[in-house]
Amino acid sequence: MRFLIIGGDAAGMSAASRVRRKRPDIDVTVLEMTRDVSYSACGMPYNIADGQRSIEELVVRQASVFRDKLGVDLRLGHRAEAIDREAKLVRGSEASGQGFDCGYDKLLIATGASPHIPNIPGLDAPGVMALKNLEQGRAIKEYLASRPVKRAVILGMGYIALEMAEALRARGLEVAMVKPRPELLPWMDRQLASTVYDELQAKRVEVHAGCEVQEIRQAGGSYEAVCSDRVLSADMLLVATGVRPNSRLAEEAGLELGPAGSIAVDRSMRTSDPDILSAGDCADAFHLVSGQRTWVPLALRANRSGRAAADAVAGQPVELPGVAGTAVFKTFELQVARTGLSLDEAAQCGFDPRGRVISAPSRAHAHPGSSTIQVFLLADAASGRLLGAQMVGREGVAHRINAVAVALQAGMSLAEFAQADLAYAPPFGPVWDPLLTAANQLLKAL
Ligand SMILES: Cc1cc2nc3c(=O)[nH]c(=O)nc-3n(C[C@H](O)[C@H](O)[C@H](O)COP(=O)(O)OP(=O)(O)OC[C@H]3O[C@@H](n4cnc5c(N)ncnc54)[C@H](O)[C@@H]3O)c2cc1C
């Protein structure tokens, strides 16, 4: 059997390795348009923060390992351009411009996502960067190393933008962030979002929320981001205004699409064509709380869905339950986490959501070094079901969110979650864990 994979990062290479391990009789070919495979995109902001570290450290497995140890026919510099479902082949071109055809019995589309670049005049200037793949990470590092860069403007205020604000401050740059919507992290409870805002202020990051950049002008060797009421000057600009699924190949081949234009897949990663699967950031998933199709482009899902696609191709399909949208990131000293639905999402899904914010200490009473954890917990007033959580704090947030993620997967009610037997010792939290305090407070409000 010929198994062809388009895209050689988390989802694609997870699938390639697993099929070769489980079914050495299956021929696996991977088409990857860049010269990189299998690297940690998530590590890029932290690597960029340190001018001494090589970005090549982020490569998890070299291409030679896939070729020599696993017997994967890995073709770098090969861009897939069209899928011919009748003839069961993929057409494309090599970096040299030469065209190629590649046949398949089973095809996996694992093309990931691309940065969304807004339609702003001047965004094609050389000092305007985006950060999605290793090539772009290298370009940012080279840019910072090769000239005096004193000030950066970041378009966008999502998690990659916030991680990069921290990274560029660590490199000694002044940083300004700008976006059209007035709210920082619009999915987040306002009280928690204002804690994130305060952290950015404390770290001297300028936040220009509610400002639409209308044009990027070049001024000598630097740039100006022109808004209606202000001009932000910079030596570099980073566009971090979200990502979009790379689903064009699937769409042009007539496959069904899901939310946000992602590729619609079932729980075994099959698309609307039984011989074509899709996994990772280009594909959709089922939400564990709403049961609806959703698009959550994150690393665990990419790896897990790549493995599931491999199992399907190897003849042992698994049914993935779905995603809760669990995510965590760091902005300077703050840990920020979420799982499940936000208040707006829950209302849109037909729930009657009630939320409560509580503040609790991160360590037991009188234990030194304690800070505040804010928890926003959300439940459905009609059924009592737990719907989601958000958390902000200087410690104890990143992994605490996982308890809620598991409760959501188990379909727990708020009352059941309030009875969870969570661990306690003074350095790690109070006897009543902040999550339990939040659950008990919300129970009173339901
Ligand atoms: C800066 C940054 C930080 C992140 N931090 C986190 C984090 O902390 N936690 C988390 O969960 N997630 C994080 N993510 C997201 C995570 O990296 C992605 O979810 C994951 O990489 C998705 O893997 P993928 O294989 O689906 O897609 P991708 O990694 O996008 O890989 C797709 C591959 O397909 C190739 N490709 C696309 N089109 C074609 C074509 N036509 N022909 C051939 N090849 C093609 C691309 O070149 C690419 O190599 C981060 C992402 C970035 C950019």
Side-chain angles (χ1 to χ4, degrees), residues 7 9-11 32-33 41-42 78 80 110-112 132 159-160 280-281 298-299:
D9 194 26
E32 167 52 51
M33 66 184 185
C42 314
H78 280 60
T111 44
K132 180 66 181 76
Y159 81 91
I160 294 177
D281 280 5
L298 288 173

Side-chain angles (χ1 to χ4, degrees), residues 6-12 31-34 39 41-42 44-45 78-80 110-113 131-132 159-160 163 246 249 279-281 297-300 302 328:
I6 309 173
D9 194 26
L31 306 174
E32 167 52 51
M33 66 184 185
T34 68
Y39 57 88
C42 314
M44 287 195 293
H78 280 60
R79 177 194 294 270
T111 44
L131 181 63
K132 180 66 181 76
Y159 81 91
I160 294 177
E163 288 178 353
N246 290 328
L249 285 174
D281 280 5
L298 288 173
L300 175 61
V328 63

Side-chain angles (χ1 to χ4, degrees), residues 424-436:
Y424 160 68
F428 306 113
V431 178
W432 288 96
D433 189 273
L435 288 177
L436 298 179

Side-chain angles (χ1 to χ4, degrees), residues 377-392:
L377 210 59
L378 191 68
D380 179 32
S383 63
R385 184 169 173 196
L386 187 64
L387 297 177
Q390 301 168 4
M391 262 192 278
V392 170

Side-chain angles (χ1 to χ4, degrees), residues 28-69:
V28 178
T29 302
V30 178
L31 306 174
E32 167 52 51
M33 66 184 185
T34 68
R35 60 185 162 115
D36 300 302
V37 282
S38 186
Y39 57 88
S40 166
C42 314
M44 287 195 293
Y46 303 98
N47 183 286
I48 290 168
D50 183 347
Q52 305 305 312
R53 278 173 65 190
S54 162
I55 201 150
E56 308 308 321
E57 284 176 10
L58 297 176
V59 175
V60 179
R61 266 191 192 166
Q62 301 289 346
S64 57
V65 176
F66 290 104
R67 289 184 182 128
D68 303 341
K69 293 211 169 126

Side-chain angles (χ1 to χ4, degrees), residues 307-320:
R307 287 172 62 148
D311 289 346
V313 168
Q316 298 168 331
V318 289
E319 298 259 305
L320 294 187

